[in-house]
């Protein structure tokens, strides 16, 4: 049987690859930075080639490191699950799910009791960091991504279609100069999500106002904070109809009666082979059923 490198070296490699930082990975593994670096160096000597590009403040995988991570990270995750099962005596099917916080809070968490009742073996590790589609297969079993079109190499299931709403504070409809005409956007700040950069241009084109420019554009990476900023009167949010409907916030109103199909949808994505895992398939089927209902 071919000799394998130490498991501690593999664990260190995966942690550094996922965090992009020796210091952060060392903290996660309760090691000193020099001790962790020695484990990485031992793995590189075993393999016979470097796995990282060293930079001043961080490290990044090189092409060999990327290939190794894609091959061994899922195996180590499954090994972790197997040890957890053997030590607890309870079957645990752990699903590492990437999802945007607003989708999770509005459309998943209200129904998690049903998921637990139906599949008590499934336990979710929730990751709300951005760019989750790019990390599927590398630390994530699956992701719910907001995108125009998913990566064609992934299994993808569209979860919804939506309209773009202009969402603002109810106070914008009050006072001597209520906001009732799209042209008044010139005096307002537009709030745009970084994962949905084209919502404003799509809405503006559908409204026949291609030259319309807001007072300013502020970018967010949190839908929940966008809604709160709009409710506080800090700007008008270009978001999805479902974001508005599920917020149930009496401080917010939809501005303008203009129907605009969104160029973005939520997608369930995973590596094609991941659909063979029970926890991925069960969660996928459950989520599709819940959203249809």
């Amino acid at each position: 049987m071919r000799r394998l490198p130490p498991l501690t070296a593999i664990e260190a490699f995966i942690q550094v690859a996922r965090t992009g930082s020796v210091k952060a990975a060392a903290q996660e593994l309760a090691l000193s930075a020099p001790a962790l670096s020695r484990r990485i160096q031992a793995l590189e000597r075993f393999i016979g080639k470097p796995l990282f590009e060293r930079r001043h403040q961080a490290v990044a995988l090189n092409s060999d490191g990327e290939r190794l991570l894609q091959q061994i990270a899922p195996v180590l995750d499954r090994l972790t699950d197997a040890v957890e099962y053997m030590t607890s005596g309870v079957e645990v099917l752990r699903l590492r799910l990437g999802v945007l916080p607003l989708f999770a809070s509005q459309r998943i968490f209200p129904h998690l009791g049903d998921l637990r009742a139906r599949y008590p073996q499934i336990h979710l590790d929730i990751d709300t960091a951005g760019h989750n589609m790019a990390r599927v297969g590398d630390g994530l079993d699956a992701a719910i991504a907001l995108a125009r079109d998913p990566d064609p190499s992934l299994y993808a299931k569209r979860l919804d279609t939506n309209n773009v709403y202009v969402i603002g504070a109810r106070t914008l409809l009050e006072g001597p100069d209520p906001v009732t005409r799209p042209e008044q956007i010139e005096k307002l700040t537009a709030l745009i999500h970084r994962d949905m950069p084209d919502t404003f241009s799509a809405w503006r084109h559908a409204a026949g106002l291609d030259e319309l420019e807001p007072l300013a554009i502020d970018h967010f990476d949190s839908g929940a904070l966008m809604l709160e900023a709009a409710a506080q009167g800090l700007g008008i949010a270009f978001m999805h109809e479902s974001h508005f409907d599920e917020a149930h916030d009496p401080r917010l109103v939809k501005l303008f009666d203009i129907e605009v199909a969104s160029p973005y949808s939520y997608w369930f994505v995973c590596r094609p082979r991941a659909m063979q895992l029970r926890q991925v398939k069960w969660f996928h089927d459950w989520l599709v059923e819940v959203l249809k209902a």
Side-chain angles (χ1 to χ4, degrees):
M1 183 176 183
R2 188 175 186 273
R3 191 167 59 91
L4 296 174
L7 182 60
T8 53
I10 294 174
E11 183 182 39
F13 163 73
I14 291 175
Q15 199 65 38
V16 172
R18 287 176 173 172
T19 62
S21 164
V22 170
K23 181 179 179 181
Q27 290 174 343
E28 287 287 331
L29 296 176
L31 294 169
S32 68
L36 184 136
S37 295
R38 287 194 293 271
R39 293 185 181 184
I40 297 294
Q41 292 164 4
L43 180 63
E44 290 178 322
R45 285 196 300 271
F46 184 93
I47 292 174
K49 58 185 68 175
L51 301 171
F52 292 96
E53 295 176 3
R54 270 70 175 181
R55 299 171 182 171
H56 178 60
Q57 295 292 340
V59 293
L61 289 171
N62 60 24
S63 57
D64 289 319
E66 289 280 3
R67 283 193 293 271
L68 182 62
L69 182 67
Q70 291 173 8
Q71 293 294 323
I72 68 173
V75 176
L76 186 63
D77 289 338
R78 289 197 295 272
L79 177 60
T80 301
D81 291 345
V83 172
E84 183 175 1
Y85 168 64
M86 294 302 295
T87 54
S88 68
V90 177
E91 183 180 22
V92 173
L93 299 176
R94 190 163 299 282
L95 175 62
R96 299 166 182 86
L97 180 70
V99 60
L100 292 173
L102 190 60
F103 187 94
S105 63
Q106 289 187 339
R107 304 177 75 179
I108 294 181
F109 274 71
H111 308 286
L112 278 184
D114 176 67
L115 177 68
R116 179 58 55 85
R118 194 179 305 188
Y119 302 114
Q121 310 98 314
I122 293 181
H123 288 260
L124 298 179
D125 285 347
I126 299 292
D127 185 326
T128 59
H131 308 291
N132 57 22
M133 193 184 309
R135 295 184 293 120
V136 168
D138 173 17
L140 297 179
D141 299 311
I144 298 170
L146 186 60
R148 282 178 171 270
D149 297 296
D151 183 334
S153 69
L154 299 175
Y155 167 83
K157 171 70 175 179
R158 189 194 298 268
L159 298 176
D160 71 354
T161 55
N162 243 299
N163 291 317
V164 178
Y165 272 22
V166 185
I167 304 169
R170 186 172 296 277
T171 53
L172 291 175
L173 299 180
E174 302 169 354
D177 187 23
V179 177
T180 57
R181 294 174 290 107
E183 293 81 1
Q184 292 171 283
I185 286 177
E186 292 178 336
K187 299 180 180 180
L188 299 170
T189 297
L191 311 178
I192 306 294
H193 198 288
R194 293 190 187 279
D195 286 347
M196 304 169 63
D198 296 332
T199 47
F200 173 63
S201 58
W203 183 90
R204 179 174 61 180
H205 179 73
L209 298 167
D210 288 313
E211 304 303 317
L212 181 67
E213 294 292 343
L215 179 66
I217 296 178
D218 292 349
H219 293 92
F220 286 69
D221 63 2
S222 166
L225 291 181
M226 283 180 67
L227 290 172
E228 183 60 29
Q232 296 283 352
L234 302 180
I236 53 174
F238 289 80
M239 299 180 71
H240 278 173
E241 176 183 357
S242 63
H243 296 145
F244 174 78
D245 291 343
E246 298 287 345
H248 304 295
D249 190 333
R251 299 174 299 168
L252 296 171
V253 294
K254 174 194 175 186
L255 299 173
F256 320 122
D257 189 21
I258 301 174
E259 290 293 323
V260 179
S262 175
Y264 300 97
S265 292
Y266 283 104
W267 299 80
F268 178 95
V269 295
C270 65
R271 296 287 182 189
R273 64 178 179 271
M275 285 296 286
Q276 300 173 17
L277 300 174
R278 285 181 293 164
Q279 62 268 38
V280 175
K281 182 66 165 60
W282 288 349
F283 180 83
H284 166 276
D285 294 348
W286 171 84
L287 181 63
V288 171
E289 177 183 325
V290 164
L291 295 182
K292 280 185 178 180

